[in-house]
Coordinates of all heavy atoms in Angstrom, one line a residue:
M1377 N -14.2 5.0 1.3 CA -13.3 4.4 0.4 C -12.0 4.1 1.1 O -11.5 5.0 1.8 CB -13.1 5.4 -0.8 CG -11.9 4.9 -1.7 SD -11.8 6.0 -3.1 CE -10.4 5.2 -3.9
L1378 N -11.4 3.0 0.9 CA -10.1 2.6 1.6 C -9.0 3.1 0.6 O -8.9 2.7 -0.5 CB -10.1 1.1 1.8 CG -8.9 0.6 2.5 CD1 -8.8 1.2 3.9 CD2 -8.8 -0.9 2.5
V1379 N -8.1 3.9 1.2 CA -7.1 4.4 0.4 C -5.8 4.0 1.1 O -5.5 4.2 2.2 CB -7.0 6.0 0.4 CG1 -5.8 6.5 -0.4 CG2 -8.4 6.4 -0.3
R1380 N -4.9 3.3 0.3 CA -3.6 2.8 0.8 C -2.6 3.8 0.5 O -1.8 3.6 -0.4 CB -3.4 1.4 0.2 CG -4.3 0.4 0.6 CD -3.9 -0.9 -0.2 NE -2.6 -1.3 0.1 CZ -2.0 -2.3 -0.6 NH1 -2.6 -2.8 -1.6 NH2 -0.8 -2.7 -0.3
G1381 N -2.5 4.8 1.3 CA -1.5 5.8 1.2 C -1.8 6.9 0.3 O -2.5 6.8 -0.7
T1382 N -1.1 8.1 0.4 CA -1.2 9.2 -0.4 C 0.2 9.5 -0.9 O 1.1 9.1 -0.2 CB -1.9 10.4 0.2 OG1 -1.1 10.8 1.3 CG2 -3.3 10.0 0.7
R1383 N 0.4 10.3 -1.9 CA 1.7 10.6 -2.3 C 2.4 11.5 -1.3 O 3.7 11.3 -1.1 CB 1.6 11.4 -3.6 CG 3.0 11.5 -4.3 CD 2.8 12.0 -5.7 NE 2.2 11.0 -6.6 CZ 2.9 9.9 -7.1 NH1 4.1 9.7 -6.8 NH2 2.2 9.0 -7.8
S1384 N 1.7 12.2 -0.5 CA 2.4 13.0 0.5 C 2.9 12.1 1.7 O 3.8 12.5 2.4 CB 1.5 14.1 1.0 OG 0.4 13.5 1.8
G1385 N 2.3 11.0 1.9 CA 2.6 10.1 3.0 C 2.0 10.5 4.3 O 2.3 9.9 5.3
E1386 N 1.3 11.6 4.3 CA 0.8 12.2 5.5 C -0.6 11.7 5.7 O -1.3 11.4 4.8 CB 0.9 13.7 5.5 CG 2.2 14.2 5.5 CD 2.2 15.7 5.6 OE1 1.6 16.4 4.7 OE2 2.8 16.2 6.6
V1387 N -1.0 11.6 7.0 CA -2.4 11.2 7.2 C -3.2 12.5 7.1 O -3.0 13.4 7.7 CB -2.5 10.7 8.7 CG1 -4.0 10.3 9.0 CG2 -1.7 9.5 8.8
A1388 N -4.2 12.3 6.2 CA -5.0 13.5 5.9 C -6.3 13.0 5.5 O -6.6 11.8 5.1 CB -4.5 14.3 4.8
E1389 N -7.3 13.8 5.7 CA -8.7 13.5 5.2 C -8.7 13.4 3.7 O -8.2 14.3 3.1 CB -9.7 14.5 5.7 CG -10.1 14.3 7.2 CD -11.2 15.2 7.5 OE1 -11.5 16.2 6.9 OE2 -11.9 14.8 8.5
V1390 N -9.1 12.4 3.2 CA -9.3 12.3 1.7 C -10.7 12.4 1.3 O -11.5 11.6 1.5 CB -8.7 10.9 1.2 CG1 -8.9 10.9 -0.3 CG2 -7.3 10.7 1.6
L1391 N -11.0 13.6 0.9 CA -12.4 13.9 0.6 C -12.7 13.6 -0.9 O -13.8 13.3 -1.3 CB -12.8 15.4 0.8 CG -12.5 15.8 2.3 CD1 -12.8 17.3 2.5 CD2 -13.4 15.1 3.2
E1392 N -11.7 13.9 -1.7 CA -11.8 13.5 -3.2 C -10.8 12.5 -3.5 O -9.8 12.3 -2.8 CB -11.6 14.8 -4.0 CG -12.6 15.9 -3.7 CD -14.0 15.5 -4.2 OE1 -14.1 14.7 -5.2 OE2 -15.0 16.1 -3.7
T1393 N -11.0 11.7 -4.6 CA -10.1 10.6 -4.9 C -9.0 11.2 -5.9 O -8.2 10.4 -6.3 CB -10.8 9.5 -5.6 OG1 -11.6 10.0 -6.7 CG2 -11.8 8.8 -4.6
D1394 N -9.1 12.5 -6.3 CA -8.1 12.9 -7.3 C -6.6 12.7 -6.9 O -5.8 12.4 -7.8 CB -8.3 14.4 -7.5 CG -9.6 14.7 -8.4 OD1 -10.2 13.6 -8.7 OD2 -9.9 15.7 -8.7
D1395 N -6.3 12.9 -5.6 CA -5.0 12.8 -5.2 C -4.6 11.3 -4.6 O -3.6 11.2 -4.2 CB -4.6 13.8 -4.1 CG -4.7 15.2 -4.7 OD1 -4.4 15.4 -5.9 OD2 -5.1 16.1 -4.0
A1396 N -5.7 10.5 -4.6 CA -5.5 9.2 -4.0 C -4.6 8.3 -4.9 O -4.7 8.4 -6.1 CB -6.8 8.5 -3.7
T1397 N -3.8 7.4 -4.3 CA -3.1 6.5 -5.1 C -3.2 5.1 -4.5 O -3.7 5.0 -3.4 CB -1.6 6.8 -5.1 OG1 -1.1 6.8 -3.7 CG2 -1.3 8.2 -5.6
V1398 N -3.0 4.1 -5.4 CA -3.1 2.8 -4.9 C -1.7 2.2 -5.2 O -1.1 2.5 -6.2 CB -4.2 1.9 -5.6 CG1 -5.6 2.4 -5.1 CG2 -4.1 2.0 -7.1
E1399 N -1.3 1.1 -4.5 CA 0.1 0.6 -4.7 C -0.1 -0.6 -5.7 O -0.9 -1.5 -5.6 CB 0.6 0.1 -3.4 CG 2.0 -0.4 -3.5 CD 2.5 -0.8 -2.1 OE1 2.5 0.0 -1.2 OE2 2.9 -2.0 -2.0
C1400 N 0.7 -0.6 -6.8 CA 0.8 -1.6 -7.7 C 1.2 -2.9 -7.1 O 2.2 -2.9 -6.4 CB 1.6 -1.2 -8.9 SG 1.8 -2.6 -10.1
A1401 N 0.6 -3.9 -7.3 CA 0.8 -5.2 -6.7 C 2.2 -5.8 -7.3 O 2.8 -6.7 -6.6 CB -0.3 -6.2 -6.9
Y1402 N 2.6 -5.3 -8.4 CA 3.7 -5.9 -9.1 C 5.0 -5.0 -8.9 O 6.1 -5.6 -8.6 CB 3.5 -6.0 -10.6 CG 2.3 -7.1 -10.9 CD1 1.0 -6.7 -10.8 CD2 2.7 -8.4 -10.9 CE1 0.0 -7.6 -11.0 CE2 1.6 -9.3 -11.1 CZ 0.3 -9.0 -11.2 OH -0.7 -9.9 -11.3
C1403 N 4.9 -3.8 -9.0 CA 6.1 -2.9 -8.9 C 6.1 -2.0 -7.7 O 7.0 -1.3 -7.4 CB 6.4 -2.1 -10.2 SG 5.2 -0.8 -10.5
A1404 N 5.0 -2.0 -7.0 CA 4.8 -1.2 -5.7 C 4.8 0.3 -6.0 O 5.0 1.1 -5.1 CB 5.9 -1.6 -4.7
A1405 N 4.6 0.7 -7.2 CA 4.5 2.1 -7.6 C 3.2 2.6 -7.0 O 2.2 1.9 -6.9 CB 4.6 2.3 -9.0
D1406 N 3.2 3.9 -6.6 CA 2.0 4.6 -6.2 C 1.3 5.0 -7.5 O 1.8 6.0 -8.1 CB 2.2 5.7 -5.3 CG 2.6 5.3 -3.9 OD1 2.2 4.2 -3.5 OD2 3.4 6.0 -3.2
V1407 N 0.2 4.4 -7.8 CA -0.6 4.7 -9.1 C -1.8 5.5 -8.8 O -2.5 5.1 -7.8 CB -0.9 3.4 -9.8 CG1 -1.7 3.7 -11.1 CG2 0.3 2.6 -10.1
P1408 N -2.0 6.6 -9.5 CA -3.2 7.4 -9.3 C -4.4 6.5 -9.3 O -4.5 5.6 -10.2 CB -3.2 8.4 -10.4 CG -1.8 8.6 -10.7 CD -1.2 7.2 -10.6
A1409 N -5.3 6.6 -8.3 CA -6.4 5.7 -8.2 C -7.3 5.6 -9.5 O -7.8 4.6 -9.9 CB -7.2 6.1 -7.0
R1410 N -7.4 6.8 -10.1 CA -8.2 6.8 -11.4 C -7.6 6.1 -12.5 O -8.2 5.5 -13.3 CB -8.6 8.3 -11.8 CG -7.3 9.2 -12.1 CD -7.8 10.5 -12.6 NE -6.7 11.4 -12.8 CZ -6.2 12.1 -11.8 NH1 -6.7 12.1 -10.6 NH2 -5.1 12.8 -12.1
D1411 N -6.2 6.0 -12.5 CA -5.6 5.2 -13.5 C -5.7 3.7 -13.2 O -5.6 2.8 -14.0 CB -4.1 5.6 -13.6 CG -3.9 7.0 -14.2 OD1 -4.8 7.4 -14.9 OD2 -2.9 7.6 -14.0
A1412 N -5.7 3.3 -11.9 CA -5.7 1.9 -11.5 C -7.1 1.4 -11.7 O -7.3 0.1 -11.7 CB -5.3 1.8 -10.0
A1413 N -8.1 2.3 -11.7 CA -9.5 1.8 -11.7 C -9.9 1.1 -13.0 O -10.7 0.1 -13.0 CB -10.5 3.0 -11.5
A1414 N -9.3 1.5 -14.1 CA -9.7 1.0 -15.4 C -8.5 0.4 -16.1 O -7.5 1.1 -16.2 CB -10.4 2.0 -16.3
V1415 N -8.6 -0.8 -16.6 CA -7.5 -1.4 -17.4 C -7.9 -1.2 -18.8 O -8.9 -1.7 -19.3 CB -7.4 -2.9 -17.1 CG1 -6.3 -3.5 -17.9 CG2 -7.1 -3.1 -15.6
P1416 N -7.0 -0.6 -19.6 CA -7.3 -0.3 -21.0 C -7.2 -1.6 -21.9 O -6.6 -2.5 -21.4 CB -6.2 0.7 -21.5 CG -5.2 0.7 -20.4 CD -5.7 0.1 -19.2
P1417 N -7.9 -1.6 -23.0 CA -7.8 -2.7 -23.9 C -6.3 -3.0 -24.2 O -5.6 -2.0 -24.3 CB -8.6 -2.3 -25.1 CG -9.5 -1.2 -24.6 CD -8.8 -0.5 -23.5
K1418 N -5.9 -4.2 -24.5 CA -4.6 -4.5 -24.6 C -3.9 -3.9 -25.9 O -2.7 -3.7 -25.9 CB -4.3 -6.0 -24.6 CG -4.9 -6.8 -25.8 CD -4.5 -8.3 -25.6 CE -5.2 -9.2 -26.6 NZ -5.0 -8.8 -28.0
D1419 N -4.7 -3.5 -26.8 CA -4.2 -2.9 -28.0 C -4.2 -1.4 -28.0 O -4.0 -0.8 -29.1 CB -4.8 -3.6 -29.3 CG -6.4 -3.3 -29.3 OD1 -6.9 -2.9 -28.2 OD2 -7.0 -3.7 -30.3
E1420 N -4.6 -0.8 -26.9 CA -4.7 0.6 -26.8 C -3.3 1.2 -26.4 O -3.1 1.5 -25.2 CB -5.8 1.0 -25.8 CG -6.3 2.4 -26.1 CD -7.6 2.7 -25.3 OE1 -8.6 2.1 -25.6 OE2 -7.5 3.6 -24.4
D1421 N -2.4 1.3 -27.4 CA -1.0 1.7 -27.1 C -0.9 3.0 -26.3 O 0.0 3.0 -25.3 CB -0.2 1.8 -28.4 CG -0.1 0.4 -29.1 OD1 -0.3 -0.7 -28.4 OD2 0.1 0.4 -30.3
E1422 N -1.6 4.0 -26.7 CA -1.4 5.3 -26.0 C -1.8 5.2 -24.5 O -1.0 5.8 -23.7 CB -2.4 6.2 -26.7 CG -2.0 7.7 -26.6 CD -2.8 8.6 -27.4 OE1 -2.9 8.4 -28.7 OE2 -3.5 9.5 -26.9
A1423 N -2.8 4.5 -24.2 CA -3.1 4.3 -22.8 C -2.1 3.6 -22.0 O -1.7 4.0 -20.9 CB -4.5 3.6 -22.7
W1424 N -1.5 2.6 -22.6 CA -0.4 1.8 -22.0 C 0.9 2.6 -21.8 O 1.6 2.4 -20.8 CB -0.2 0.5 -22.6 CG -1.3 -0.5 -22.3 CD1 -2.4 -0.8 -23.2 CD2 -1.6 -1.2 -21.1 NE1 -3.3 -1.6 -22.5 CE2 -2.8 -1.9 -21.2 CE3 -0.8 -1.2 -19.9 CZ2 -3.3 -2.7 -20.3 CZ3 -1.3 -2.1 -18.9 CH2 -2.6 -2.8 -19.1
V1425 N 1.1 3.5 -22.7 CA 2.3 4.3 -22.6 C 2.2 5.3 -21.4 O 3.1 5.5 -20.6 CB 2.5 5.2 -23.9 CG1 3.6 6.3 -23.6 CG2 3.0 4.3 -25.0
K1426 N 0.9 5.8 -21.2 CA 0.6 6.6 -20.1 C 0.8 5.8 -18.8 O 1.4 6.3 -17.8 CB -0.7 7.2 -20.1 CG -0.9 8.4 -21.1 CD -2.3 8.9 -21.0 CE -2.5 9.9 -22.1 NZ -4.0 10.3 -22.2
L1427 N 0.3 4.6 -18.7 CA 0.4 3.8 -17.6 C 1.8 3.4 -17.3 O 2.3 3.4 -16.1 CB -0.4 2.5 -17.7 CG -1.9 2.6 -17.4 CD1 -2.6 1.3 -17.8 CD2 -2.1 3.0 -16.0
R1428 N 2.6 3.3 -18.3 CA 4.0 2.9 -18.1 C 4.7 4.0 -17.3 O 5.6 3.8 -16.5 CB 4.7 2.6 -19.5 CG 6.2 2.2 -19.4 CD 6.7 1.8 -20.7 NE 5.9 0.8 -21.4 CZ 5.8 0.7 -22.7 NH1 6.4 1.5 -23.5 NH2 5.1 -0.3 -23.2
N1429 N 4.2 5.3 -17.5 CA 4.9 6.4 -16.9 C 4.6 6.5 -15.4 O 5.3 7.2 -14.6 CB 4.5 7.7 -17.6 CG 5.1 7.8 -19.0 OD1 6.1 7.2 -19.2 ND2 4.4 8.5 -19.9
V1430 N 3.5 5.9 -14.9 CA 3.2 5.9 -13.6 C 3.6 4.7 -12.8 O 3.5 4.6 -11.6 CB 1.7 6.2 -13.3 CG1 1.3 7.6 -13.9 CG2 0.8 5.1 -13.9
H1431 N 4.0 3.7 -13.5 CA 4.6 2.5 -12.8 C 6.1 2.5 -12.9 O 6.7 3.3 -13.7 CB 4.1 1.2 -13.6 CG 2.7 0.9 -13.3 ND1 2.2 -0.1 -12.4 CD2 1.6 1.4 -13.8 CE1 0.9 -0.1 -12.4 NE2 0.4 0.8 -13.2
H1432 N 6.7 1.7 -12.1 CA 8.1 1.7 -12.1 C 8.6 0.9 -13.4 O 7.9 0.1 -14.0 CB 8.7 0.9 -10.9 CG 8.5 1.7 -9.7 ND1 8.9 3.1 -9.6 CD2 8.0 1.4 -8.4 CE1 8.6 3.5 -8.3 NE2 8.1 2.5 -7.6
R1433 N 9.9 1.2 -13.8 CA 10.4 0.6 -15.0 C 10.4 -0.9 -14.9 O 10.7 -1.4 -13.8 CB 11.9 1.1 -15.2 CG 12.6 0.6 -16.5 CD 13.9 1.2 -16.5 NE 13.9 2.7 -16.5 CZ 13.9 3.4 -17.7 NH1 13.9 2.8 -18.8 NH2 13.9 4.7 -17.6
G1434 N 10.0 -1.6 -15.9 CA 9.9 -3.0 -15.9 C 8.8 -3.7 -15.2 O 8.8 -4.8 -14.9
C1435 N 7.7 -2.9 -14.9 CA 6.6 -3.5 -14.1 C 6.0 -4.6 -14.9 O 5.7 -4.4 -16.1 CB 5.6 -2.4 -13.9 SG 4.1 -3.0 -13.2
E1436 N 5.9 -5.7 -14.3 CA 5.4 -6.9 -15.0 C 4.0 -6.7 -15.5 O 3.6 -7.2 -16.6 CB 5.4 -8.1 -14.1 CG 5.0 -9.4 -14.8 CD 4.9 -10.6 -13.7 OE1 5.4 -10.5 -12.7 OE2 4.2 -11.6 -14.1
W1437 N 3.2 -6.0 -14.8 CA 1.7 -5.8 -15.2 C 1.6 -5.0 -16.3 O 0.9 -5.3 -17.3 CB 1.0 -5.2 -13.9 CG -0.4 -5.0 -14.2 CD1 -1.4 -6.1 -14.0 CD2 -1.2 -3.9 -14.6 NE1 -2.6 -5.5 -14.3 CE2 -2.5 -4.2 -14.7 CE3 -0.7 -2.6 -14.9 CZ2 -3.5 -3.3 -15.0 CZ3 -1.7 -1.7 -15.3 CH2 -3.1 -2.0 -15.4
V1438 N 2.5 -3.9 -16.5 CA 2.4 -3.1 -17.6 C 3.1 -3.8 -18.8 O 2.6 -3.8 -19.9 CB 3.2 -1.7 -17.3 CG1 3.3 -0.9 -18.6 CG2 2.5 -0.9 -16.3
A1439 N 4.2 -4.5 -18.6 CA 5.0 -5.2 -19.7 C 4.0 -6.2 -20.3 O 4.1 -6.5 -21.6 CB 6.1 -5.8 -19.1
T1440 N 3.2 -6.8 -19.6 CA 2.3 -7.9 -20.1 C 0.9 -7.4 -20.4 O 0.0 -8.2 -20.8 CB 2.2 -9.1 -19.2 OG1 1.7 -8.7 -17.9 CG2 3.6 -9.7 -18.9
R1441 N 0.7 -6.1 -20.2 CA -0.6 -5.5 -20.4 C -1.6 -6.3 -19.6 O -2.6 -6.8 -20.2 CB -0.9 -5.3 -21.9 CG 0.1 -4.4 -22.5 CD -0.3 -3.8 -23.8 NE 0.7 -2.8 -24.3 CZ 0.6 -2.2 -25.5 NH1 -0.4 -2.3 -26.3 NH2 1.6 -1.3 -25.8
A1442 N -1.5 -6.3 -18.3 CA -2.3 -7.0 -17.4 C -2.4 -8.6 -17.9 O -3.5 -9.1 -17.8 CB -3.7 -6.4 -17.4
H1443 N -1.3 -9.1 -18.2 CA -1.2 -10.5 -18.5 C -2.0 -11.0 -19.7 O -2.5 -12.1 -19.7 CB -1.5 -11.4 -17.2 CG -0.6 -11.0 -16.1 ND1 0.7 -11.6 -16.0 CD2 -0.8 -10.3 -15.0 CE1 1.2 -11.1 -14.9 NE2 0.4 -10.3 -14.3
R1444 N -2.1 -10.1 -20.6 CA -2.9 -10.4 -21.8 C -2.1 -10.6 -23.0 O -2.6 -10.7 -24.2 CB -4.0 -9.5 -22.0 CG -5.1 -9.6 -20.9 CD -6.2 -8.6 -21.1 NE -5.6 -7.2 -21.0 CZ -6.3 -6.1 -21.1 NH1 -7.6 -6.1 -21.3 NH2 -5.7 -5.0 -21.0
L1445 N -0.8 -10.4 -23.0 CA 0.1 -10.5 -24.1 C 0.7 -11.9 -24.1 O 1.0 -12.5 -23.1 CB 1.2 -9.5 -24.1 CG 0.8 -8.0 -24.3 CD1 2.1 -7.1 -24.4 CD2 0.0 -7.9 -25.6
Ligands
ZN2461 ZN1 3.3 -1.6 -11.6

């Protein structure tokens, strides 16, 4: 699995994906890989509130719910 950086920023063996993050293409936040893997339905408010917390403020992707609003 290709991992673009970890929160620690150190080069380390990544045996599990729990600590892996991926960089948001819109706000460049380090998003936990498991959160980035699945895009919730656009009307699932609770899930999007959680996502908003892991993206930077004003992230276009979150604001538009993956461009579906
Ligand atoms: Zn983002």
